[in-house]
Amino acid sequence: MRARQPKAIQHALHVLEEVARLGPGVTAQQVSTSLGMPRATAYRLLNLLVQEEYLVRLPDLSGFALGSKVTQLATLVPTAPPPRAVRQVVDDLRGRVRAGVHLVRYDGGILQIVDADPDFALSDEVRISRDPHVSALGGLLLDASAAFVSMSSPIVPGRACLAVPIRDDRGALVAGIALATTPARAASPEPLLAVLRETASRLEPLLA
């Protein structure tokens, strides 16, 4: 796509914005219908954006999601610190559990780290922000309907993570809170999930 093709650039940006608005898993047909764009044009632009790594196809080929170049741009923008009321709720949980507590937001299909636990550092903040497959918080982004996600870290051996969603009053995923702990504790997750869900319910009116 060349600079002398402003219409094509404009259409590609509209497609990118629509994928961000509709969220991971949006199909070419949905993009075409939402934008009132011919299906062939939508397919062509989606494929171009995938080639340029602004979009990715989901592993099951069910739809599209924002790609690495978009998340790279997003991570260059400093995330605003959370409000004091949010920090107080998160700090309260940190005082009750022997684990790392991390809070993120999901804006336009992008994972933004809002409050990382200073005493239990994230294994790789940049990679976690850019690749949703490597963390439980990213797992919530990939499956926005999940009640929780549990996984062992592919980055740090001997570490596991539990994450629960924070939703708005329409049930849409807006944020997530996670505990970084040991695989043994994550294998019997109910006690940890109980405190995570309690905290998530306190954060919902503050973040939604």
Side-chain angles (χ1 to χ4, degrees):
M1 187 176 295
R2 297 175 182 175
R4 65 173 180 268
Q5 297 176 299
K7 281 286 187 184
I9 294 172
Q10 191 175 55
H11 290 326
L13 290 173
H14 289 163
V15 168
L16 189 61
E17 290 171 354
E18 199 63 15
V19 173
R21 187 181 73 83
L22 294 175
V26 60
T27 66
Q29 180 62 55
Q30 289 173 312
V31 171
S32 171
T33 300
S34 182
L35 293 177
M37 179 181 290
R39 187 183 303 179
T41 302
Y43 273 103
R44 185 170 65 253
L45 291 172
L46 286 163
N47 287 328
L48 175 63
L49 290 166
V50 169
Q51 291 171 19
E52 297 296 324
E53 299 182 2
Y54 287 100
L55 295 179
V56 295
R57 292 182 184 274
L58 294 185
D60 60 2
L61 303 180
S62 62
F64 298 86
L66 296 180
S68 60
K69 285 191 177 177
V70 175
T71 53
Q72 286 170 20
L73 290 172
T75 55
L76 295 176
V77 180
T79 303
R84 179 180 297 177
V86 170
R87 295 199 305 271
Q88 288 175 339
V89 173
V90 175
D91 285 343
D92 176 64
L93 178 58
R94 286 174 179 152
R96 295 163 55 196
V97 296
R98 292 179 294 105
V101 177
H102 308 293
L103 177 69
V104 304
R105 285 197 69 106
Y106 306 108
D107 294 315
I110 296 173
L111 186 157
Q112 294 185 315
I113 298 168
V114 175
D115 191 347
D117 196 321
D119 296 323
F120 296 85
L122 286 167
S123 53
D124 188 334
E125 289 198 24
V126 172
R127 187 174 175 190
I128 288 169
S129 296
R130 296 179 180 178
D131 184 356
H133 296 90
V134 301
S135 70
L137 287 164
L140 290 176
L141 183 60
L142 293 173
D143 183 3
S145 64
F148 74 95
V149 174
S150 175
M151 67 178 292
S152 296
S153 171
I155 304 174
V156 180
R159 181 178 295 182
C161 190
L162 292 168
V164 300
I166 298 168
R167 304 185 186 278
D168 63 17
D169 54 8
R170 296 172 298 172
L173 179 69
V174 295
I177 189 161
L179 289 178
T181 183
T182 63
R185 293 182 75 192
S188 301
E190 287 307 322
L192 294 177
L193 286 175
V195 295
L196 271 176
R197 287 170 174 151
E198 177 195 355
T199 300
S201 67
R202 293 172 63 191
L203 289 170
E204 281 179 0
L206 301 174
L207 294 172

